[in-house]
Amino acid sequence: MQLQNKIALITGAASGIGEASARLFAKQGARVVVVDLPGPAGEKLVEAIEAEGGTAFFQPADVSRRADNEAMIAACLERYGRLDILFCNAGINLPKLITESSDEEIDRLLDINLKGQIYATRYTIPVMLEQGGGNILITASKTGLVAQRDSPVYCASKGAAVMLAKALALDYATRNIRVNALCPGVIETPMLRAFADARPNPAAAWKEYSESQPIGRLGTPLECAEAALWLVSEAASFITGVALPVDGGFTAM
Ligand code: NAD
């Protein structure tokens, strides 16, 4: 029980890496705020967590909206009285050249992937300072460390996410708030499936993703969740400002 008595809020928790993390954190004793866009997936996940003996509630939010970030933190405090772990994980992809990306697509991506994380941390840090500490984890990507073709706006948002984590880590290092970035490689989630489906030959793209990983396969959401758990747990108590690749060796190439 590595997160006994902890309160964890996870954005983008209804699918993929966020879902695996919500389940794992709950199994490790955390009470979890499942944050995602309105829809049945968040409630279904809460039911699944409760069926496994955990505690959670669903807070619908669009993280691109400042007011939704404020409201999700307020809902967490109202229900559980504190916030120990903020996992800013919601994100979208934009597999397009910069010349093909519309104003709306660029704004939407940056609003979710970057401003969402800025808003969430901005509303969380005063709470953590007041309660004497906390833990923040930001989902960046291997594309925040090394570039990828055909996704320049996405890469830019993930590079910014790495720097947001590092900068916040410095600002609050002496105040008992650790801030780290998780940098998944190519992980088998609905986002990756959509990315492959947007290619001219989705089956060939999927095969290529698997075979191009040094480890010879795709990562799983649970493997990312395990790394996230470690980073937010006491086991990583001297680790802050780190961008941890969980990428089967991709960034070693
Ligand atoms: P996913 O699509 O399975 O899950 C993302 C979740 O975020 C979804 O439930 C979605 O509804 C939610 N979301 C999207 N926009 C939102 C918004 N405006 N407000 C609230 N929730 C919103 O994707 P995933 O692969 O699990 O991705 C999770 C994170 O990991 C993302 O930040 C992504 O960029 C990052 N990532 C994924 C991979 C990969 O290979 N899958 C690699 C590197 C980084």
Side-chain angles (χ1 to χ4, degrees):
M1 285 292 192
Q2 293 178 69
L3 302 182
Q4 191 76 56
N5 299 323
K6 299 290 186 193
I7 308 300
L9 184 151
I10 305 177
T11 69
S15 174
I17 295 165
E19 177 184 351
S21 301
R23 285 172 181 262
L24 184 64
F25 286 18
K27 272 192 192 140
Q28 290 296 325
R31 281 174 284 167
V32 178
V33 187
V34 168
V35 174
D36 210 295
L37 293 169
E43 291 293 2
K44 272 184 71 179
L45 176 60
V46 168
E47 282 168 23
I49 288 172
E50 287 175 345
E52 290 166 3
T55 304
F57 78 93
F58 175 49
Q59 173 71 22
D62 178 341
V63 299
S64 70
R65 298 174 53 171
R66 190 195 54 74
D68 283 17
N69 283 275
E70 192 174 19
M72 77 190 181
I73 307 299
C76 173
L77 294 179
E78 193 183 326
R79 182 75 69 103
Y80 295 138
R82 54 187 291 123
L83 174 53
D84 300 297
I85 298 161
L86 171 71
F87 186 7
C88 295
N89 167 76
I92 59 167
N93 205 341
L94 182 55
K96 288 185 174 181
L97 292 173
I98 206 155
T99 48
E100 294 168 351
S101 307
S102 70
D103 290 354
E104 293 70 28
E105 287 171 329
I106 292 168
D107 285 348
R108 183 82 186 133
L109 184 126
L110 294 178
D111 284 351
I112 294 172
N113 288 17
L114 182 54
K115 281 171 83 178
Q117 299 184 338
I118 290 173
Y119 290 141
T121 50
R122 177 176 171 226
Y123 286 116
T124 295
I125 281 168
V127 174
M128 291 183 170
L129 288 174
E130 174 81 22
Q131 68 192 21
N135 234 289
I136 296 175
L137 184 59
I138 291 176
T139 301
S141 168
K142 71 169 173 53
T143 62
L145 303 171
V146 294
Q148 168 180 300
R149 286 192 177 84
D150 304 334
S151 302
V153 183
Y154 180 76
C155 288
S157 75
K158 293 305 187 178
V162 167
M163 272 305 147
L164 178 65
K166 287 178 184 266
L168 292 175
L170 286 188
D171 285 343
Y172 299 101
T174 60
R175 309 290 297 277
N176 199 28
I177 300 176
R178 294 192 295 110
V179 189
N180 292 294
L182 187 76
C183 297
V186 187
I187 313 299
E188 207 172 321
T189 69
M191 178 187 280
L192 186 69
R193 175 52 67 191
F195 188 64
D197 287 348
R199 301 273 144 160
N201 185 340
W206 195 259
K207 192 164 175 280
E208 182 204 317
Y209 300 152
S210 307
E211 290 173 354
S212 60
Q213 309 310 308
I215 214 164
R217 63 170 176 82
L218 301 173
T220 68
L222 181 59
E223 287 172 314
C224 290
E226 291 282 7
L229 170 65
W230 178 73
L231 278 171
V232 302
S233 75
E234 270 307 293
S237 54
F238 200 55
I239 297 180
T240 194
V242 152
L244 181 71
V246 184
D247 68 353
F250 194 94
T251 50
M253 288 194 286

